[in-house]
Amino acid sequence: MREGEYGSVYDRSGPGQVALVRAAADRRRAERPNPLKILLIEDDPADARLVEAALTRTMGGVDLHVAPTLAVARNSIEEVQPDVVLLDLGLPDARGLDALTGLRSELYEIPVIVVSGDDDERRAIEAMEMGAQDYVLKTELTGRMLARSIRYALERKRIEKELLTAARYDPVTGLVNRSFFLGLLEYSLGRSERDERPVHVLFLDLDHFKKVNDSLGHAAGDELLRRVAGRLRRVVRNSDVVARLGGDEFMILMEDVEAGAVANVAEKVIDTMGKPFTLSGCEVFVSFSIGVAGNVGDSADAETLVKHADTAMYRAKEGGRNRVEFFTDEMNVSVRRAFDLEMRLRVGLRQRQFELYYQPIVAQGSHELITLEALLRWCPDDRVDCLPPDRFLSVLEQTGIIREVGDWAIGVACAHGRRWRSELGLDLRVAVNVSPRQIAGRDFADRLESILDRSGLPPEGLELEITEDVLLERTRGNLQTLSDVRSLGVAVAIDDFGTGYSSLGYLTSFPFDTLKIDRAFVSKLEHSRQDEVIAAGIIGMANDLGRKTVAEGVETVPQLDTLSEMGCAAAQGFLFGRPMPSDRIDELLEQLPRTADGRLQWARSSRVV
């Protein structure tokens, strides 16, 4: 950004004052009645009288002010606040286009018409390129020509300002937009380096904003954004800049303030957002996750500072949301590691380094092996052992790679399921975990149907396991997606039930077949009366809803017996076998005895580890 581009007031105030000063000037112009205020910068009194006479004949009374030099003109612009400036290029203290250059910052928002005695087409074009609205020759000057030139200049400047506003400000909230904010930040960092004053950036993200759009509609969402912007303006200083980056992301630029004061402002933001908003007759509560980064001791550019604040914001989200985190060098190292891991995962996808392991799910009572759950593993070339999903799954989801990897996993599991069914004559089902990112969008059911067609697995041979996060995110869209999945004949299970934040009310509206009890409740069944009550409550509720239950993490026979007494339909865990690759599953299927009707039966003596 060039020095002075935003006007001389920028040198005396913080960047947040720029828009305020401009708005005030616009209001004064709108409220000011005729006559039109014109500043003529002309050192020849005879020429000045000629211009005044021409204007009087064609435009009636005009409020004309004359400045004979460039120095006087600078003071007059601030005092008079003219609607238009007529500029002669032959001034005593500025010759030629130097006069236009010398007043560029002061005339940034005021239309300028050059009135010159020099009939030089090249100079006229150059003047227009430098920001003049018109170039009029004194030798051809008439009142009508000058009046027409002024009207056109005012209209062109008005259109130019409207386009500039659209380019710099967010149309929903009226706040500075991303590109203008980055320009202001670069300018502030330049001044900071020169004056040794700190600059801080706050990156703010509205928590669960999508729920407002999904439940109340986009119009209510836009209204919420406008009201949030209003609260942010009231919290910060007049010299601070508040911007909307897009979606539910905002930023604040603060100059010449220490970290402690920045933290106080961030806490005020969190406090003011704690009060409800009333939208469409409903009270809506929102919160911000805030990341803060400063340039203290660092010569970071604008993009780097924003990236650091963004990193700190994500750490705030990971820490539970509705909180503030300051960027640290340790976060930078963590981000770098995550980036390196992302690159390795992309390479792993191309080089087919992912594998599926399977774990048995056994029916209570009959001990029939009914399902094999597919579990993702990553086997990079530099490791002997494959890595479990807790080592890389979050990066897959954050980067969106999960969509491609997830579809691959469904395809491989379906192919294995079809082989076990056709070659071994087994009525087995394969279960595959899917993430919220994977099913987002309206094409998931279509992709799933295509995968089933290619694999040859009948839909009833597949079950998709979702977490409670799917119930929380994009509720309306996910409801339709899961309904489409079940209409294909594919079963749906809610995984790790009881550890998330979903409402029990979702269970009555979301289509699912099976509820999987999280291992956290199963592991303490023998020692905790509370966990036993919770497990029994989940099983009873599912049974009353006509849904099956599967207990995860079963490791002992007493746990299995207790769950059986509670009415749990099936169980999975190390008691039946650890997750194993498909070739080991082939061995397991050969070992297990069959019932008279050909079904596989797990006996306590046939445990596979």
Side-chain angles (χ1 to χ4, degrees):
M1 184 174 297
R2 296 185 298 275
E3 184 76 23
E5 183 177 350
Y6 293 97
S8 59
V9 68
Y10 207 79
D11 294 329
R12 298 191 298 275
S13 308
Q17 287 295 97
V18 177
L20 296 177
V21 171
R22 290 177 183 166
D26 288 342
R27 285 195 300 272
R28 286 194 293 272
R29 292 191 188 100
E31 295 166 358
R32 186 187 302 121
N34 286 334
L36 196 68
K37 282 192 176 182
I38 299 176
L39 175 63
L40 172 62
I41 307 176
E42 170 65 71
D43 66 322
D44 188 331
D47 284 348
R49 287 193 297 271
L50 178 66
V51 170
E52 182 176 15
L55 290 173
T56 302
R57 284 194 304 270
T58 56
M59 302 186 69
V62 294
D63 187 1
L64 182 67
H65 299 259
V66 180
T69 66
L70 193 68
V72 173
R74 286 197 176 98
N75 293 328
S76 297
I77 288 171
E78 186 168 350
E79 293 174 3
V80 175
Q81 294 187 14
D83 298 298
V84 66
V85 169
L86 306 180
L87 173 64
D88 178 34
L89 298 182
L91 300 175
D93 53 350
R95 304 301 297 176
L97 294 175
D98 290 343
L100 191 57
T101 303
L103 290 174
R104 178 180 291 178
S105 61
E106 284 84 354
L107 298 180
Y108 185 70
E109 290 196 335
I110 303 173
V112 179
I113 299 172
V114 173
V115 182
S116 174
D118 188 356
D119 187 6
D120 185 338
E121 184 177 354
R122 181 183 301 176
R123 176 173 290 186
I125 293 174
E126 191 173 352
M128 299 286 281
E129 290 176 345
M130 293 174 63
Q133 301 298 313
D134 204 351
Y135 190 97
V136 179
L137 292 176
K138 290 182 179 180
T139 56
E140 301 177 358
L141 184 65
T142 65
R144 182 172 298 177
M145 174 191 295
L146 189 55
R148 183 172 62 246
S149 179
I150 289 173
R151 287 195 296 270
Y152 287 169
L154 289 169
E155 180 63 14
R156 283 195 294 268
K157 199 65 179 180
R158 181 189 66 79
I159 295 173
E160 179 184 305
K161 287 174 63 177
E162 289 179 355
L163 293 174
L164 198 59
T165 298
R168 290 180 172 179
Y169 296 92
D170 171 51
V172 176
T173 63
L175 298 176
V176 168
N177 63 19
R178 180 185 180 87
S179 60
F180 193 29
F181 179 86
L182 290 176
L184 293 173
L185 178 55
E186 283 285 9
Y187 183 79
S188 296
L189 290 172
R191 294 204 315 172
S192 171
E193 188 174 357
R194 182 185 66 220
D195 302 335
E196 297 184 351
R197 298 187 300 177
V199 172
H200 286 86
V201 168
L202 290 77
F203 198 116
L204 306 91
D205 186 272
L206 272 177
D207 300 322
H208 302 307
F209 175 67
K210 287 182 179 179
K211 292 175 64 177
V212 176
N213 274 340
D214 289 343
S215 58
L216 299 180
H218 289 281
D222 287 348
E223 178 62 23
L224 175 61
L225 292 173
R226 282 188 285 271
R227 296 191 192 180
V228 165
R231 289 191 186 182
L232 289 177
R233 288 192 188 99
R234 290 192 289 273
V235 169
V236 302
R237 305 171 301 174
N238 287 339
S239 58
D240 299 329
V241 177
V242 182
R244 180 188 175 214
L245 301 192
D248 54 5
E249 294 178 339
F250 296 80
M251 293 208 76
I252 300 174
L253 167 61
M254 302 184 69
E255 286 187 317
D256 197 20
V257 62
E258 300 301 327
V262 175
N264 290 337
V265 170
E267 291 296 340
K268 287 181 181 178
V269 169
I270 288 179
D271 288 343
T272 193
M273 291 302 156
K275 301 172 183 177
F277 296 86
T278 301
L279 300 172
S280 302
C282 302
E283 281 197 341
V284 175
F285 290 85
V286 296
S287 62
F288 267 127
S289 296
I290 304 176
V292 183
N295 70 330
V296 180
D298 193 359
S299 58
D301 58 17
E303 287 284 1
T304 300
L305 201 60
V306 169
K307 182 181 73 173
H308 288 175
D310 189 17
T311 299
M313 183 275 293
Y314 272 103
R315 184 62 58 89
K317 278 191 176 295
E318 293 170 357
R321 305 177 189 266
N322 196 30
R323 59 199 305 272
V324 184
E325 285 282 355
F326 276 74
F327 178 80
T328 64
D329 290 337
E330 290 75 14
M331 289 183 190
N332 213 15
V333 172
S334 176
V335 169
R336 184 68 215 182
R337 287 174 179 168
F339 178 77
D340 291 341
L341 180 57
E342 176 187 347
M343 294 302 102
R344 293 180 63 203
L345 287 168
R346 292 188 184 277
V347 170
L349 180 60
R350 290 197 304 269
Q351 297 182 356
R352 300 182 179 181
Q353 294 176 354
F354 290 100
E355 291 188 16
L356 289 186
Y357 280 39
Y358 294 88
Q359 189 173 33
I361 298 178
V362 175
Q364 293 278 31
S366 67
H367 302 301
E368 176 191 347
L369 178 60
I370 55 175
T371 304
L372 288 168
E373 179 182 354
L375 302 167
L376 188 63
R377 296 291 186 268
W378 178 35
C379 309
D381 293 334
D382 58 350
R383 291 185 61 91
V384 177
D385 299 325
C386 293
L387 299 176
D390 60 353
R391 300 283 296 276
F392 59 86
L393 189 60
S394 62
V395 176
L396 287 181
E397 294 191 352
Q398 290 168 9
T399 58
I401 308 175
I402 189 64
R403 179 183 171 103
E404 190 172 355
V405 173
D407 286 3
W408 168 86
I410 295 174
V412 172
C414 287
H416 285 152
R418 181 202 56 77
R419 180 170 61 83
W420 290 325
R421 278 176 163 253
S422 61
E423 294 182 4
L424 301 178
L426 299 174
D427 188 19
L428 274 176
R429 173 184 285 173
V430 289
V432 186
N433 293 275
V434 293
S435 75
R437 288 289 298 271
Q438 191 178 346
I439 70 171
R442 299 179 178 179
D443 65 335
F444 177 75
D446 293 335
R447 300 197 325 261
L448 181 62
E449 185 175 19
S450 177
I451 291 172
L452 286 168
D453 289 342
R454 290 196 303 269
S455 69
L457 180 71
E460 61 271 17
L462 176 65
E463 181 174 66
L464 298 184
E465 295 191 4
I466 63 172
T467 63
E468 294 180 60
D469 290 339
V470 175
L471 309 185
L472 284 172
E473 300 181 16
R474 294 172 45 82
T475 302
R476 194 176 301 168
N478 287 342
L479 175 60
Q480 183 60 53
T481 297
L482 294 179
S483 296
D484 293 342
V485 166
R486 292 187 81 222
S487 68
L488 294 175
V490 175
V492 174
I494 299 178
D495 197 15
D496 302 329
F497 184 78
T499 60
Y501 301 96
S502 65
S503 165
L504 291 178
Y506 284 128
L507 298 181
T508 62
S509 57
F510 270 82
F512 72 99
D513 303 272
T514 303
L515 207 58
K516 300 190 73 174
I517 306 169
D518 188 80
R519 66 184 66 248
F521 303 114
V522 175
S523 62
K524 301 176 184 177
L525 279 180
E526 301 170 70
H527 313 289
S528 171
R529 174 60 181 166
Q530 289 182 334
D531 287 312
E532 185 177 341
V533 170
I534 292 174
I538 294 174
I539 293 169
M541 177 183 61
N543 289 339
D544 290 342
L545 291 173
R547 308 299 199 270
K548 295 179 294 185
T549 50
V550 175
E552 299 178 298
V554 178
E555 298 184 1
T556 68
V557 171
Q559 290 172 352
L560 184 65
D561 292 340
T562 300
L563 291 164
S564 180
E565 293 172 1
M566 292 178 178
C568 185
Q572 104 185 71
F574 290 172
L575 181 63
F576 313 103
R578 294 178 181 274
M580 61 196 83
S582 59
D583 55 351
R584 290 286 310 280
I585 290 294
D586 291 339
E587 297 175 10
L588 170 64
L589 299 181
E590 292 292 340
Q591 290 180 19
L592 293 179
R594 297 202 180 202
T595 62
D597 56 359
R599 298 178 181 275
L600 291 179
Q601 193 172 30
W602 179 85
R604 292 179 180 178
S605 60
S606 59
R607 178 185 177 203
V608 178
V609 179

